[in-house]
Amino acid sequence: MTLPPAQGGRLPVIEAGVTVRVDGVEVRAPRVAMLLEAVQAASAALPQLCKPEALGPLGACRTCLVEVEGQGRLVAACHTPVAEGQSIRTTSERAERVRRGVLDLTVGMSADGRGRGQAATHALAHGIEVSTYAPSPRAPRDESNIFFTLEMADCILCGRCVDACQRTQHIGAIGINGRGLTARIGVAFDAAWEDSTCTSCGQCVSQCPTGAILPKQGVPARVSARAPETTVTETTCPYCGVGCGLRVHQRDGRIVWVDGVPENGSSQGMTCVKGRFGLEFVHAPDRLTQPLVRRDGRLQPATWDDALDLVARKFAASLGSFAAIASAKATNEDGYAVQKFTRAVMGTNNIDHCSRLCHAPSVVALQEQVGSGATSNSYADYDIAGTLFVVGSDTAQNHPVVASRLRRAVEDRGAALIVVNPIRIDLCDIAEVHLQSRPGTDVALFNAMAQVILEEGLWAPTFVEARTEGFEAWRRVVEQVTPEVAERITGVAAEEIRRAARLYAQPRPDAAGNERGSCLIWGMGVTQHTNGTDNARALINLALVTGQVGGPGSGISPLRGQNNVQGCSDSGCLPNTLPGYEPLDGPAHEKYAAAWGAEFPRTPGLQATHMIEEMLEGRLRSMYVVGENPLISDPYLTHAREAFERLDFLVVQDIFMHETAEIADVVLPAAAFAEKYGTFTNSERRVQLVRPIVPAPGEAREDWAITAEIARRVLRLLERPVAGFGWGSSTEIFEEMTGLMPIIAGLSHGRLERDGGLQWPVPDAAHPGTPRLFETEFPRGRGTFVAVEQGPAAAELPSKRFPYTLITGRSLYHWHTGVITRRVPGLIERVPAVTVDIHPLDAAALGFADGEEAQLASRRGEIVAQVHVVDSMRRGELFVPFVQLQGVAANFLTNDALDLPSGIPEFKACAVRVERPGTPSRAGRGPRAQRKGRDPMGPLRPEYAGR
């Protein structure tokens, strides 16, 4: 076995450093380097087992012992610093003899009884002959984790796995239990890994040098000389908006292993369970592989020509009644192609994507108050912040790698953590303050924090005077909301509100006493309310009044949910802006009309949530849905399904058959992320490459290529010039984008290949990217305070018939609607069914035990879910993830009432009741029928008041 070189391999020749000699070879090394790096720079062979990639040394295995002239003892090269003029000998008789003895003992610890263990393979790779010892008495195999096994017979107790769990991911699930010959890797009290805090991120697997911890599916070549070689491709994770870098190992056309990329600025070598073990969906046997056309009431295979001709004819006949939904899972190039087709060919701005369902209120508020709808800072600012203010985000479930960085900032660097969430989430274990406010009362909470900041003189008058406007009008409103007033509304103790306000306005200094900033980080717990835009406004007001924006360790961070929801917005897949957020009715309109050779409206198109009503009214007759599944992701699913079924023509383009595709007239098979080349843009505005790893199955094509072919055929039918859609590659599309979009004008696929991911704006080819926005000014000039007041907590409040408030969200082991994670055996084994989290006292009062089934009913539908009794919930509140499993989905229950400024539905609060499965519904809807997605209710929409 050959391990990857520490710190990325050979050191470059550098001017600032020291000169040392390694076995007579003179090399330059940084002053902060260790001897091991100098040895690697000299290309000298030296065994090393315990040194984690891109991290500090452990010094546990002692296999890298070397002799340094003038020192009487051998030293471990991995944690001995270099010094000017040192002479290092790796091949001295003493060094080789002692290393051989160390490896001999190591092999004895790891021998598996069948011959040499994995450590012996490493020794032999460095030309060191060792003996073979009897099997270790520590040899139990632990297979309790769904994704990987621990074989203690191959373990040398180097500690790299423990280091990965505790110092990299900051989860702390495993350690070394016992002493001497009984020492072993395990979780606390020797419990099963599945019963611990382990999240199955696989960081331990990636760091194990001997193969003691191995994935159950696929054995990567890096841990076994017996494993076949793999082809490694660096790409970007297709799951959440963190944008983790992945090194994907492929063999014989199948993905067999995934490593993180230590050099990736967003993920720093980390992944979560989905990024590491969740790519199997690419090979699922039910991938769409050929076009399907509805004939005689059934979807039947068709040729590409037949399917595309039908689509073109129907779309050409739908001018004036057409809309498209683009995909936040597809690439920037794919999204740009869809919005260009919608505008330049179909002549409408009716283009939207799932941002409407997640951070639309954040974008509205940010555009209004600072002039830009994107995150202002970088994850690197979380690392150096003095206070982290995490609002409405279960970060460990939704953005696990960001959660690891937050834990590191708290545990290693002394940052203060404030959590605002109605649920006691994992991050509360390390939080200094947990504000457990009632759902929908955030405006009162944030206004009260502002009142404390003003009253106690904690605000930033110089910043406010120089860089903001609207302060006095806002001040008059928030001064009325004392913590005592907010306590009555929110349920949060007044003193806790004061503590949080002080911590945010006065971020904790570092260990040396240097001042630091505060980072404001929020998720969809803020936005998915009928007062979502006001919630975001109130948060931004806090950043402005304290001046916590634009500086190191500060900033405004809405964490984006899907892998490319930021990029899909950037690329123009919004009904009210052009690519790069240029106004529809501004000077950019002429620029795009000229470039595309087509005129299009200057007025905004339909938001995705308003498309539903237009379908029901008969004004929207034809839809093109790319890579989304609105019949699970939309609220009030019976109502949404009725709307889609009223369309004259529906085209769905995706990688799997799903609930929306099942009712389509044409289904087009698309390539997955692992089968295409392009870019994703993550939550910190980092544009990164996506590279093909395996071929697309059957006749599946890249999304942009399908859209371009549809566009060309529609243009021919309309007898218009067939121009603007003749791209031969995604690179050509990106070149068109950078030529039109100032925020990425300095990017190209070639530059991203050379330099890695860069954060926009990148205005020219020499620009290094922009990790931090608003350092000196806001795009709108001055930031503006917007005074907001607490209104009704939700459109639908608990009542006698529906006494509980339902909160929805995501699950660590599934993603979005579950279309792809249901195709990953390990993930579906880990979480096979939809659960409902309920407080123990509520469960007891209702007569439910953990694991039983309960029926949840709202005014719109019912589901049957598995009861999960937890003390993280407050009484009267329930939590259900919105993934669809076994036909059950929370969105049969949720309310389609909208936040008017942004058009987002109220996913985070609706009234429900809990009853035994099979209880007759007062609305006449059977629970089992509802679980299968049928609509026994019909078109009736009951009034909410008094029900």
Side-chain angles (χ1 to χ4, degrees), residues 823-846:
R823 270 80 178 186
V824 179
L827 295 175
I828 199 71
E829 182 182 350
R830 187 67 176 77
V831 179
V834 171
T835 56
V836 52
D837 289 0
I838 184 170
H839 189 277
L841 293 178
D842 284 338
L846 292 164

Side-chain angles (χ1 to χ4, degrees), residues 363 367 374 560 566 569-570 574 577-583 743 760:
V363 173
Q367 288 277 16
R560 309 310 293 263
Q566 181 66 57
S569 299
D570 299 346
L574 294 169
T577 67
L578 290 164
Y581 306 100
E582 298 191 82
I743 62 173
W760 65 255

Side-chain angles (χ1 to χ4, degrees), residues 211-271:
I213 310 177
L214 282 179
K216 290 182 176 178
Q217 300 294 323
V219 180
R222 62 179 184 82
V223 297
S224 175
R226 297 184 295 273
E229 290 298 322
T230 58
T231 300
V232 182
T233 303
E234 195 166 304
T235 191
T236 306
C237 184
Y239 282 105
C240 77
V242 174
C244 295
L246 305 181
R247 285 193 180 124
V248 182
H249 295 242
Q250 175 266 132
R251 183 171 61 243
D252 299 329
R254 293 189 68 85
I255 294 169
V256 296
W257 174 243
V258 178
D259 269 318
V261 180
E263 301 82 9
N264 184 281
S266 296
S267 55
Q268 299 180 329
M270 293 181 281
T271 74

Side-chain angles (χ1 to χ4, degrees), residues 587-608:
H589 186 99
E590 285 73 24
K591 175 179 69 174
Y592 279 94
W596 294 344
E599 190 50 64
F600 53 92
R602 293 176 178 269
T603 53
L606 292 171
Q607 298 172 342

